[in-house]
């Protein structure tokens, strides 16, 4: 049976998409040599409002996978084949588009005879030109391993249902598991940020390379996927809990927002170093969790209200995957015109304007491609058919059937 649609998941995906587009626009302008300090500080402040974006996509991937397969184990071959078409094929196509887009405008590409196909192959494993597509590679690892995660989730759930402890309820045990997992994950983030960079010099290949590119691995994001499983199995409980926790999540967010801003200002010199707030850092993990739970709680509180803002977020969320794939190309095009300009004192407004243009253009392209044949392989959406035409055809068919029935009667 088809599962009921959970509106806030699509809306949260829309918010995450907006956050990621803003991050990448900030990264385009904050490192320019002519940026004034007030603009750099303001862009850093905005940047720390967007840290929840990518981990929220991981959380939502877990939510949707576990939600739709809670009661039945999927056929693995069919499952992977579908995800390969919906996710990995768009990755390959857009990797090729970015690879060509950067090279066709250089004379060396045309004078070299044969293009360097080796660099394209490398892009399929370590995206550089399409820098944002690392996320597709990383999240696809969760899809490959999902049957194992689902088996583990069913085992834990079965154990909870059979638990007859007088001391702890299944809900309390679940919270204890989440809290324990969070502690383990914070330790992993501590090792990643403070220790692992030194380990690469002590290890041989391929282990040193695996550590160097650890941000491409699902291991660094598993906690968000775990939370997705918890949310998928207890949607109403999750809504209630995030709404009740709003005073705490808002407080934690404000405290960590101030701390992360101070941390970057303290660690930067002439240029703001946004890498100080990397995803793989304990303090960043805390603000991400506070933001994600805060936004979920706010959406849960307003879910019975028909708000234009929520409808807009739902529309953005629907086309967000295609918009994510194309948005960096839009930023490249805008940067082609802005990089030669002297923008001292204007980096903040130009970044905001670039963000708005990127969002509108990327979503417009995503929606346009969704109407074309093969849209599944370009934006991960099945082709949107003309509803009025389908309705007219159905009406005509029904009229024809009625006429045949009256004649036969």
């Amino acid at each position: 049976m088809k599962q009921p649609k959970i509106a806030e998941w699509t809306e949260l995906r829309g918010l995450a998409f907006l956050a990621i587009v803003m991050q990448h626009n900030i990264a385009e302008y904050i490192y320019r040599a002519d940026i004034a300090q007030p603009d750099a500080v303001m862009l850093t402040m905005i940047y720390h409002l967007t840290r929840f974006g990518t981990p929220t996509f991981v959380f939502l991937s877990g939510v949707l996978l576990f939600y739709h397969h809670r009661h039945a184990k999927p056929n693995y071959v069919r499952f992977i084949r579908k995800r390969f078409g919906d996710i990995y094929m768009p990755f390959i196509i857009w990797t090729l588009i970015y690879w060509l887009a950067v090279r066709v405008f250089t004379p060396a590409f045309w004078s070299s005879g044969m293009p360097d196909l080796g660099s394209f192959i490398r892009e399929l494993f370590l995206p550089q030109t399409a820098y944002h597509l690392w996320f597709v590679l990383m999240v696809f690892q969760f899809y490959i391993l999902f049957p194992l995660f689902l088996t583990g989730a069913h085992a834990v759930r079965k154990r909870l249902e059979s638990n007859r402890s007088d001391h702890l309820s299944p809900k309390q045990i679940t919270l204890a598991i989440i809290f324990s997992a969070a502690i383990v994950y914070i330790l992993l983030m501590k090792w990643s940020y403070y220790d692992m960079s030194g380990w690469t010099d002590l290890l041989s290949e391929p282990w040193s390379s695996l550590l160097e590119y650890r941000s491409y691995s699902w291991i660094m994001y598993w906690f968000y996927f775990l939370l997705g499983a918890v949310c998928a199995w207890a949607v109403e409980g999750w809504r209630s809990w995030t709404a009740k926790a709003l005073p705490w999540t808002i407080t934690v967010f404000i405290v960590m927002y101030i701390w992360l801003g101070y941390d970057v200002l303290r660690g930067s010199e002439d240029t703001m170093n946004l890498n100080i707030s990397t995803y793989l850092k304990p303090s960043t993990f805390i603000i991400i969790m506070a933001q994600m739970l805060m936004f979920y709680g706010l959406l849960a509180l307003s879910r019975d209200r028909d708000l234009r803002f929520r409808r807009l977020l739902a529309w953005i969320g629907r086309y967000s995957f295609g918009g994510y794939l194309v948005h960096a190309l839009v930023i490249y095009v805008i940067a082609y015109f802005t990089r030669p300009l002297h923008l001292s004192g204007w980096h903040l407004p130009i970044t905001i304007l670039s963000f708005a243009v990127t969002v509108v253009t990327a979503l417009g392209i995503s929606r346009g491609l969704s109407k074309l044949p093969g849209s599944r392989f370009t934006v991960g959406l099945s082709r949107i058919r003309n509803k009025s035409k389908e309705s007219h055809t159905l009406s005509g068919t029904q009229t024809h059937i009625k006429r045949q029935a009256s004649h036969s009667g």
Side-chain angles (χ1 to χ4, degrees):
M1 294 179 63
K2 190 175 181 180
Q3 302 284 353
K5 186 177 180 180
I6 310 299
E8 65 261 25
W9 294 347
T10 307
E11 296 159 359
L12 191 61
R13 187 164 63 241
L15 275 173
F17 168 76
L18 295 176
I20 290 171
V21 175
M22 177 56 84
Q23 281 182 38
H24 293 161
N25 273 281
I26 289 173
E28 170 61 36
Y29 293 94
I30 198 169
Y31 293 118
R32 297 193 180 184
D34 62 338
I35 189 170
Q37 186 181 27
D39 282 357
V41 173
M42 285 299 299
L43 289 178
T44 301
M45 293 173 66
I46 297 173
Y47 182 76
H48 286 141
L49 297 175
T50 67
R51 303 310 290 140
F52 71 99
T54 299
T56 299
F57 271 135
V58 181
F59 166 76
L60 291 172
S61 296
V63 165
L64 293 171
L65 282 175
F66 284 104
Y67 183 70
H68 290 293
H69 298 95
R70 290 176 298 170
H71 307 301
K73 187 176 180 180
N75 179 289
Y76 187 72
V77 175
R78 188 183 307 159
F79 174 82
I80 290 297
R81 185 169 61 240
K82 185 179 187 308
R83 267 61 194 185
F84 186 87
D86 293 342
I87 297 173
Y88 200 76
M89 280 302 298
F91 164 77
I92 294 174
I93 289 172
W94 283 100
T95 298
L96 177 61
I97 291 172
Y98 280 91
W99 183 79
L100 287 173
V102 170
R103 283 161 178 78
V104 294
F105 294 103
T106 60
F109 180 82
W110 300 101
S111 61
S112 60
M114 284 292 293
D116 180 15
L117 294 179
S119 63
F120 171 68
I121 300 299
R122 285 193 296 273
E123 290 283 332
L124 294 175
F125 296 95
L126 297 172
Q128 300 296 319
T129 306
Y131 53 84
H132 62 305
L133 294 186
W134 70 270
F135 173 78
V136 182
L137 282 179
M138 183 275 294
V139 82
F140 194 71
Q141 297 169 47
F142 284 108
Y143 287 91
I144 294 174
L145 298 172
F146 177 65
L148 294 177
F149 297 137
L150 185 62
T151 300
H154 278 303
V156 172
R157 184 170 177 81
K158 186 177 180 180
R159 184 71 179 267
L160 289 175
E161 290 175 349
S162 63
N163 177 62
R164 294 293 183 267
S165 173
D166 296 330
H167 303 289
L168 295 174
S169 66
K171 182 178 179 180
Q172 290 173 323
I173 296 174
T174 302
L175 290 175
I177 292 173
I178 295 174
F179 182 76
S180 301
I183 297 298
V184 173
Y185 189 75
I186 288 175
L187 288 174
L188 177 63
M189 295 298 97
K190 184 263 179 186
W191 294 330
S192 173
Y193 189 80
Y194 295 103
D195 304 321
M196 286 186 183
S197 58
W199 296 354
T200 56
D201 298 330
L202 305 175
L203 298 174
S204 58
E205 293 292 347
W207 306 112
S208 60
S209 293
L210 288 174
L211 276 183
E212 183 181 356
Y213 294 101
R214 59 190 177 276
S215 62
Y216 287 56
S217 172
W218 68 271
I219 296 173
M220 295 296 169
Y221 304 91
W222 61 266
F223 182 78
Y224 305 107
F225 200 75
L226 169 67
L227 281 185
V230 176
C231 177
W233 251 292
V235 177
E236 289 300 326
W238 185 271
R239 284 170 173 166
S240 175
W241 179 75
T242 54
K244 291 177 181 177
L246 271 174
W248 294 101
T249 53
I250 291 173
T251 301
V252 172
F253 166 70
I254 292 173
V255 171
M256 294 308 301
Y257 178 75
I258 295 171
W259 172 255
L260 259 67
Y262 172 70
D263 206 20
V264 170
L265 291 175
R266 181 180 58 179
S268 303
E269 296 179 357
D270 296 333
T271 303
M272 292 294 172
N273 183 8
L274 298 183
N275 288 327
I276 293 175
S277 300
T278 177
Y279 292 129
L280 309 183
K281 185 179 181 181
S283 56
T284 310
F285 165 68
I286 295 173
I287 194 173
I288 287 170
M289 288 304 305
Q291 283 182 285
M292 191 170 69
L293 296 175
M294 177 181 69
F295 284 129
Y296 201 110
L298 292 172
L299 290 172
L301 278 180
S302 61
R303 67 190 180 94
D304 295 326
R305 302 177 186 176
D306 185 21
L307 302 176
R308 287 185 179 181
F309 182 66
R310 293 197 62 156
R311 292 200 299 270
L312 176 61
L313 284 179
W315 186 87
I316 293 172
R318 171 170 175 75
Y319 299 105
S320 60
F321 182 58
Y324 178 84
L325 294 172
V326 73
H327 83 275
L329 190 61
V330 179
I331 294 175
Y332 278 147
V333 173
I334 296 173
Y336 177 80
F337 296 100
T338 61
R339 285 181 183 179
L341 302 177
H342 183 74
L343 299 174
S344 183
W346 287 90
H347 286 85
L348 175 62
I350 291 297
T351 301
I352 295 173
L353 179 61
S354 176
F355 161 75
V357 173
T358 304
V359 167
V360 172
T361 306
L363 291 174
I365 293 173
S366 178
R367 186 176 186 275
L369 290 175
S370 70
K371 295 184 174 183
L372 299 177
S375 59
R376 178 189 173 198
F377 303 120
T378 55
V379 292
L381 287 172
S382 299
R383 184 181 177 188
I384 299 176
R385 301 184 183 277
N386 191 317
K387 293 183 180 180
S388 61
K389 183 177 179 180
E390 290 181 350
S391 177
H392 178 72
T393 303
L394 179 60
S395 176
T397 303
Q398 291 173 339
T399 303
H400 180 68
I401 293 173
K402 288 178 181 179
R403 285 176 180 173
Q404 284 186 327
S406 63
H407 287 312
S408 62

